């Protein structure tokens, strides 16, 4: 039979230079860019829930001392006992008993001090309590201070201007006054109604119309009084405060358009809406704060500047304090390390905290997973990279504990070289048919192990065997595990064979299965790439010829080299005449396969049988990475860096690492309603928008999910571990020297 040209070339490559390459011990190219780990602004939320039913929250302010006060239908409230991930509550403010006993009807700041209105007077505890002015309108609901402790008061219709302890002017508006603002430059008060803006002049004590509109909801004077920003039920409009001329088009391409409040804080515009809050960035895009990751409720009532440059967002369900902390990636890694060790270690596995009620960490329990091995190997790899970089004993202990868990996957069952998916104490999982009895009376183990588990195992064990040069015992244990798994696969004709003597559904690398998939169906390429990576790794560390021979056989005789080199751009849906299984496998892009590919690329490239193959593999890896670039996935970018290429989107990888939220609770998140994102037509890759959103605005997901998934979450029923999601790309980047150690500098924006 005549061989195809690519087969002849491959045979030549293998026969001429069939010797293993020596993997590099750090970054593979001196020309690669390096991110200097300077401090950035990490945001997180401290939430305070209102516990009384029927309480309407109305306004929030913070004084010069950092004291926060909330005005509500139940009087004055204050936040109590909240911290990150552990919500506090809003409680009655009894700080000043005489104030608490009064019938407070309005609250605002003046010269960074609290000013109140009760049922008869304007008053304050500042300035030695000397501010006390009686007023004559029925009930003050709005108050705003001007020059020299002069104030404009309103009950929504009547207006009263008071100064020096007495009433100076009274008037009445036909429309309901929604809000009052003040211009220091012009010494004028601005009045908002649903249909326009008017100006009260202190000089001639008159109200004059300024701007007419429709469905106005909120406003703020910005840019030192030069611009009036008016919110509506459908976006916002900027208006020249001198000429009343609109400035540009009305802004409706926003994260949410039903504006409830507008504030300028620190030179930035903040908007509250019925679907969360957002800030306008200097590049014209938005930072969107919505869902319980950030807010107790999404219906925003008020926004204010908080203590230490934080932002206070008052909602119908409580208060959120958005805190901005100067932090390096290394400091973030230390925080996430504590998160993993405190809440996500189950028998040494890297696990999910599940069964939570509304995000309460006190209610959660550690959950077994079909992918206990995979999630753990990704964390295990991260800890190996960390140990190599830092030589910290803590990292070594974590490696040891994770290795013990991984080893037990192989020993808890009686199948030689077969890794269980998981194990658990008896009686908790045996109702699932995938669970089997262990010999030990206390334990059950889960069968049906899949290829994503296997490739994760080989990745981590290879990293251990290569890099733990000062830990020979752990190296040996890793090589033993590699050999055990791969011998099982080779002995069983390239299948993983389960307790029932049958191949598992997804543990199949036999050519009869792999090549049954049509060209363009992803499983043909992924299974070929993974098994060659696994066999190369096994040969590199065991030097057993059977693994090299099998890799060569699969690549030459069965076309696995051609399979794995097949261009990613040609992966798509199976043809109409394909078998049903192939059609099912190719309904859309498999993002779980992306995870398997890139984890496998470590062994495919690093332990290539020779340098010529290594060059070919590099081309395949970069070809895949080109398809993944829109997702800005840190893991895929950093894995690509192992090839030595100078272009692997380091900036986007750092963006991912910096923007990933500290809160990894799987809150329900929605973005599909947003008008500031540009949707695209449904497609095979499931990319939903032209540009991916920041990680802190998306549902929490592992690397096997679609980064373009706009909506998702389980309502706070689980918290994911940072071990695989964040620590793996970070510590790999540190090991490959494309992310530096932390440097001392001021935080950027």
């Amino acid at each position: 039979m005549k061989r195809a040209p690519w087969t002849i070339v491959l045979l030549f490559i293998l026969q001429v230079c069939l010797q293993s390459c020596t993997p590099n011990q750090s970054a593979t190219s001196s020309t690669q860019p390096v991110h200097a780990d300077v401090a950035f602004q990490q945001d997180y939320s401290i939430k305070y829930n209102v516990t009384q039913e029927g309480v309407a929250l109305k306004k929030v302010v913070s004084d010069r001392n950092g004291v926060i006060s909330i005005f509500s239908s139940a009087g004055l409230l204050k936040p109590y006992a909240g911290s990150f991930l552990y919500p506090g509550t809003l409680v009655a403010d009894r700080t000043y008993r005489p104030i608490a006993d009064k019938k407070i009807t309005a609250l605002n700041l003046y010269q960074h001090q609290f000013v109140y209105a009760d049922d008869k007077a304007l008053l304050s505890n500042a300035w030695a309590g000397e501010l006390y002015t009686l007023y004559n309108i029925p009930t003050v609901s709005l108050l705003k201070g001007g020059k020299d402790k002069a104030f404009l008061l309103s009950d929504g219709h009547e207006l009263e201007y008071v100064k020096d302890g007495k009433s100076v002017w009274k008037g009445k508006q036909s429309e309901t006054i929604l809000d009052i603002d003040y211009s220091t430059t012009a010494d004028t008060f601005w009045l908002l109604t649903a249909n326009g803006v008017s100006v009260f002049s202190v000089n001639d004590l008159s109200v004059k119309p300024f701007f007419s509109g429709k469905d106005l909801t909120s406003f703020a004077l910005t840019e030192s009084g030069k611009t009036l920003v008016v919110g509506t039920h459908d976006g916002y409009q900027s208006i020249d405060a001198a000429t009343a001329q609109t400035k540009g088009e009305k802004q409706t391409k926003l994260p949410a358009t039903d504006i409830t409040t507008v504030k300028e804080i620190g030179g930035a515009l903040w908007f509250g809406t019925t679907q969360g809050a957002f800030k306008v960035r200097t590049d014209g895009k938005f930072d969107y704060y919505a869902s319980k990751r950030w807010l107790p409720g999404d219906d925003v009532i008020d926004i204010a500047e908080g203590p230490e440059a934080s932002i206070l967002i008052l909602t119908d369900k409580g208060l959120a304090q958005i805190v901005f902390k100067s932090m390096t990636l290394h400091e973030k890694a230390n925080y996430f390390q504590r998160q993993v060790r405190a809440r996500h270690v189950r028998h040494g596995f890297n696990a999910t905290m599940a069964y939570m009620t509304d995000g309460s960490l006190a209610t959660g329990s550690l959950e077994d997973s079909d992918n206990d091995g995979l999630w753990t190997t990704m964390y295990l790899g991260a800890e190996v990279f960390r140990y190599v970089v830092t030589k910290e004993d803590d990292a070594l202990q974590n490696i040891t504990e994770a290795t013990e868990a991984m080893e037990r996957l192989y020993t808890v069952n009686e199948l030689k070289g077969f890794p269980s998916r998981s194990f658990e104490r008896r009686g908790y999982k045996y109702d699932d048919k995938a669970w089997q009895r262990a010999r030990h009376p206390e334990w059950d183990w889960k069968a049906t192990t899949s290829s994503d588990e296997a490739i994760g195992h080989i990745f981590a064990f290879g990293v251990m065997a290569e890099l733990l040069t000062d830990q020979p015992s752990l190296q040996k244990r890793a090589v033993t595990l590699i050999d055990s798994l791969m011998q099982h696969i080779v002995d069983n004709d390239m299948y993983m064979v389960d307790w029932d003597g049958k191949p598992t559904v997804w543990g199949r690398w036999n050519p009869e299965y792999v090549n049954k998939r049509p060209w363009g169906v992803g499983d043909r390429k992924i299974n070929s790439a993974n098994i060659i990576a696994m066999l190369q790794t096994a040969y590199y560390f065991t030097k057993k010829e059977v693994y090299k021979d099998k890799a060569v056989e699969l690549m030459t005789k069965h076309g696995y080299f051609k399979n794995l080199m097949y261009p990613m751009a040609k992966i798509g849906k199976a043809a109409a005449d394909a078998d049903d299984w192939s059609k099912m496998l190719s309904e859309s892009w498999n993002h779980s396969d992306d995870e398997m590919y890139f984890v496998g690329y470590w062994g495919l490239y690093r332990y290539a049988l020779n340098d010529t193959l290594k060059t070919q593999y590099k081309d395949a890896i970069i070809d895949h990475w080109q398809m993944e670039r829109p997702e800005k996935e840190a893991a895929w970018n950093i894995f690509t860096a192992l090839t030595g290429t100078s272009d692997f989107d380091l900036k986007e990888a750092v963006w991912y690492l910096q923007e990933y939220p500290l809160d990894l609770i799987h809150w329900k998140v929605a973005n599909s309603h947003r008008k500031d994102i540009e949707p695209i037509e449904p497609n095979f890759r499931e990319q939903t928008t032209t540009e991916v959103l920041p990680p802190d605005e998306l549902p929490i997901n592992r690397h096997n999910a679609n980064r373009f998934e706009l909506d998702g979450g389980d309502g706070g029923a689980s918290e994911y571990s940072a071990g695989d999601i964040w620590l793996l790309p970070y510590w790999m980047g540190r090991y490959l020297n494309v992310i530096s150690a932390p440097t001392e500098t001021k935080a950027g924006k």
Side-chain angles (χ1 to χ4, degrees):
M1 182 177 178
K2 186 177 180 180
R3 293 186 181 273
W6 63 266
T7 306
I8 296 173
V9 172
L10 180 60
L11 281 171
F12 177 78
I13 291 170
L14 293 169
Q15 291 168 356
V16 170
C17 52
L18 194 54
Q19 55 185 0
S20 296
C21 300
T22 301
N24 295 330
Q25 293 301 310
S26 58
T28 54
S29 172
S30 60
T31 63
Q32 287 185 306
V34 179
H35 169 70
D37 187 17
V38 299
F40 61 96
Q41 290 294 317
Q42 176 68 59
D43 48 358
Y44 61 89
S45 177
I46 301 174
K47 290 163 283 189
Y48 302 88
N49 297 316
V50 60
T51 56
Q52 292 177 265
E53 290 188 10
V55 173
L57 305 178
K58 299 182 179 181
K59 192 169 186 64
V60 61
V61 287
S62 176
D63 71 3
R64 63 180 298 272
N65 302 309
V67 177
I68 299 170
S69 186
I70 297 104
F71 175 60
S72 76
S73 60
L76 297 176
L77 306 176
K78 64 180 180 180
Y80 173 72
S83 61
F84 177 54
L85 296 181
Y86 297 90
T89 56
L90 298 181
V91 299
D93 187 352
R94 302 284 300 173
T95 305
Y96 282 87
R97 284 185 296 165
I99 296 295
D101 291 339
K102 289 180 178 293
K103 296 179 180 178
I104 301 299
T105 62
L107 164 70
N108 214 329
L109 280 186
Y110 182 72
Q111 297 178 357
H112 303 290
Q113 304 280 11
F114 296 136
V115 177
Y116 313 95
D118 68 4
D119 54 348
K120 58 184 177 182
L122 183 75
L123 66 154
S124 177
N125 296 313
W127 310 291
E130 288 190 351
L131 178 63
Y132 188 85
T133 303
L134 298 174
Y135 64 81
N136 300 302
I137 57 179
T139 302
V140 170
S141 56
L142 296 169
L143 66 91
K144 188 68 178 180
K147 188 182 294 184
D148 300 327
K149 295 180 184 175
F151 293 85
L152 186 64
L153 314 177
S154 178
D155 64 356
H157 287 285
E158 294 193 37
L159 291 162
E160 187 168 1
Y161 180 58
V162 297
K163 186 177 181 180
D164 298 328
K166 60 184 179 181
S167 178
V168 176
W169 172 88
K170 283 186 66 180
K172 192 170 185 178
Q173 293 290 100
S174 58
E175 293 189 57
T176 301
I177 301 170
L178 304 176
D179 201 1
I180 304 174
D181 206 348
Y182 174 73
S183 171
T184 56
T185 56
D187 193 20
T188 53
F189 290 89
W190 297 66
L191 313 174
L192 175 74
T193 71
N195 295 307
V197 176
S198 300
V199 178
F200 171 70
S201 172
V202 172
N203 293 327
D204 56 17
L205 300 178
S206 65
V207 176
K208 297 178 181 178
F210 176 78
F211 173 81
S212 295
K214 184 179 180 182
D215 293 330
L216 309 185
T217 61
S218 50
F219 76 153
L221 284 164
T222 68
E223 299 176 331
S224 301
K226 296 177 182 178
T227 302
L228 183 69
V229 179
V230 180
T232 76
H233 288 297
D234 186 28
Y236 71 90
Q237 179 71 64
S238 296
I239 303 164
D240 189 301
T243 66
Q245 297 297 309
T246 57
K247 301 173 71 172
E249 299 293 325
K250 184 179 181 182
Q251 300 298 308
T252 58
K253 292 183 177 181
L254 308 171
T257 57
D258 191 356
I259 309 296
T260 57
T261 186
V262 184
K263 293 292 169 64
E264 184 184 41
I265 302 174
L269 278 176
W270 284 82
F271 293 87
T273 78
T274 56
Q275 293 175 293
F278 62 88
K279 182 184 81 170
V280 182
R281 302 196 319 234
T282 55
D283 62 2
K285 297 181 181 179
F286 308 97
D287 289 330
Y288 185 38
Y289 297 89
S291 84
K292 287 191 175 182
R293 177 182 299 154
W294 298 107
L295 311 176
D298 280 339
D299 193 353
V300 176
I301 308 300
D302 193 20
I303 298 178
E305 183 175 4
E308 299 178 349
S310 64
I311 300 295
L312 304 176
I313 302 178
L314 188 67
T315 78
D316 59 330
K317 301 293 177 58
L319 174 69
Q321 182 180 7
I322 309 299
V323 178
F324 300 88
K325 182 178 180 180
S326 179
M327 180 180 286
T328 63
L329 289 177
H330 187 258
E331 289 171 326
K332 192 168 183 176
N334 289 338
Y335 166 77
F336 276 141
Q337 187 66 251
R338 293 190 294 271
Q339 186 248 19
V340 175
R341 303 313 299 181
R343 297 193 293 276
H344 293 281
V345 178
R346 187 186 75 87
H347 306 311
F349 291 125
N350 174 47
T352 296
M353 179 71 72
Y355 311 109
M356 291 162 51
T357 301
D358 196 27
S360 171
L361 296 174
T363 62
S365 300
L366 288 167
E367 179 185 43
D368 69 275
S369 165
D370 279 1
N371 296 116
D372 271 342
L374 176 59
W375 309 144
T376 302
T377 55
M378 296 175 80
Y379 175 56
L380 176 55
E383 288 300 277
V384 174
F385 294 132
R386 175 187 166 211
Y387 176 73
V388 173
V389 170
T390 68
K391 296 300 181 182
E392 293 175 1
D393 290 338
D394 177 67
L396 187 60
Q397 181 63 32
N398 296 341
I399 292 167
T400 302
E401 292 179 12
T403 301
E404 291 169 345
M406 296 303 298
E407 287 174 328
R408 195 166 186 224
L409 289 175
Y410 290 81
T411 60
V412 72
N413 67 66
E414 298 182 44
L415 304 175
K416 185 179 179 180
F418 182 88
S420 310
R421 282 188 180 273
S422 184
F423 53 79
E424 185 54 279
R425 296 188 184 277
R426 183 156 298 176
Y428 287 89
K429 294 292 180 180
Y430 197 62
D431 56 336
D432 185 330
K433 64 181 180 180
W435 284 83
Q436 305 296 315
R437 298 291 194 197
R439 284 175 296 181
H440 194 291
E442 176 74 4
W443 295 93
D444 295 331
W445 64 277
K446 191 167 190 180
T448 71
T449 308
S450 61
S451 56
D452 51 348
E453 291 290 287
I455 191 62
H457 289 213
I458 297 300
F459 158 69
F461 301 153
V463 170
M464 290 176 63
E466 178 191 342
L467 302 183
L468 295 180
T469 55
D470 60 347
Q471 301 295 325
S473 175
L474 282 169
Q475 280 185 307
K476 183 178 179 180
R477 290 162 72 178
V479 174
T480 297
L481 290 167
I482 293 170
D483 191 26
S484 180
L485 173 57
M486 295 312 299
Q487 193 64 56
H488 172 93
I489 292 171
V490 170
D491 287 347
N492 288 283
D493 198 20
M494 309 312 293
Y495 292 107
M496 278 201 295
V497 175
D498 216 333
W499 63 273
D500 57 2
K502 300 177 182 179
T504 65
V505 173
W506 300 111
R508 300 170 181 238
W509 301 273
N510 184 283
E512 183 179 355
Y513 173 83
V514 172
N515 289 334
K516 189 176 181 178
R517 308 282 77 80
W519 292 105
V521 172
D523 266 42
R524 182 168 182 146
K525 179 178 171 73
I526 182 65
N527 281 290
S528 298
N530 276 184
I531 195 60
I532 298 303
M534 293 159 69
L535 288 166
Q536 287 182 163
T537 304
Y539 173 64
Y540 185 85
F541 291 108
T542 69
K543 294 299 183 274
K544 290 184 177 180
E545 294 293 321
V546 63
Y547 299 130
K548 179 187 69 177
D549 293 345
K550 182 57 69 173
V552 172
E553 175 192 336
L554 291 175
M555 284 195 285
T556 58
K557 183 179 178 180
H558 299 289
Y560 278 33
F561 178 76
K562 184 179 180 181
N563 290 347
L564 71 88
M565 293 297 297
Y566 194 76
M568 271 292 176
K570 293 185 177 182
I571 300 297
K573 290 187 176 183
D577 60 351
D579 63 282
D580 290 342
W581 191 257
S582 294
K583 289 179 180 178
M584 180 275 294
L585 290 171
S586 60
E587 289 176 350
S588 62
W589 190 269
N590 191 327
H591 296 274
S592 183
D593 281 0
D594 290 330
E595 182 174 64
M596 295 168 62
Y597 275 116
F598 279 96
V599 168
Y601 287 155
W602 182 271
L604 185 71
Y605 179 82
R606 196 89 166 174
Y607 314 127
L609 296 178
N610 57 64
D611 286 334
T612 307
L613 278 176
K614 197 171 193 179
T615 300
Q616 298 286 334
Y617 296 154
K618 177 179 178 178
D619 291 341
I621 294 168
I622 293 176
D623 172 68
H624 186 182
W625 169 75
Q626 290 285 359
M627 294 291 290
E628 299 298 327
R629 295 182 74 178
E631 293 195 4
K632 301 183 180 180
E633 233 283 6
W636 308 162
N637 292 343
I638 300 298
F639 266 110
T640 302
L642 75 88
T643 67
T645 179
S646 60
D647 186 7
F648 55 92
D649 287 349
L650 176 61
K651 182 179 178 181
E652 284 70 20
V654 170
W655 172 84
Y656 172 102
L657 294 171
Q658 291 182 344
E659 290 290 327
Y660 219 93
L662 295 180
D663 182 350
L664 299 189
I665 293 174
H666 204 28
W667 297 111
K668 185 177 180 181
V669 171
N671 288 289
S672 56
H673 65 276
R674 295 173 61 164
K675 294 183 178 180
D676 63 317
I677 56 179
E678 186 177 345
I680 61 177
E681 291 297 319
N683 54 83
F684 180 72
R685 280 192 57 83
E686 299 178 314
Q687 183 172 336
T688 56
T689 55
T690 55
E691 186 176 4
V692 71
L693 290 171
D696 61 357
E697 297 177 13
L698 293 169
I700 296 297
N701 279 313
R702 290 187 162 94
H703 300 296
N704 63 338
N706 179 13
R707 292 256 307 119
F708 283 92
E709 180 185 44
L710 295 175
D711 305 333
D714 60 17
S718 60
E719 183 193 49
Y720 282 15
S721 168
D724 51 291
I725 293 174
W726 199 94
L727 291 176
L728 175 60
Y730 170 74
W731 283 112
M732 183 183 292
R734 287 290 304 276
Y735 167 72
L736 293 174
N737 288 332
V738 296
I739 298 175
S740 79
T743 61
E744 292 185 8
T745 187
K746 292 183 179 180
K749 292 184 179 180

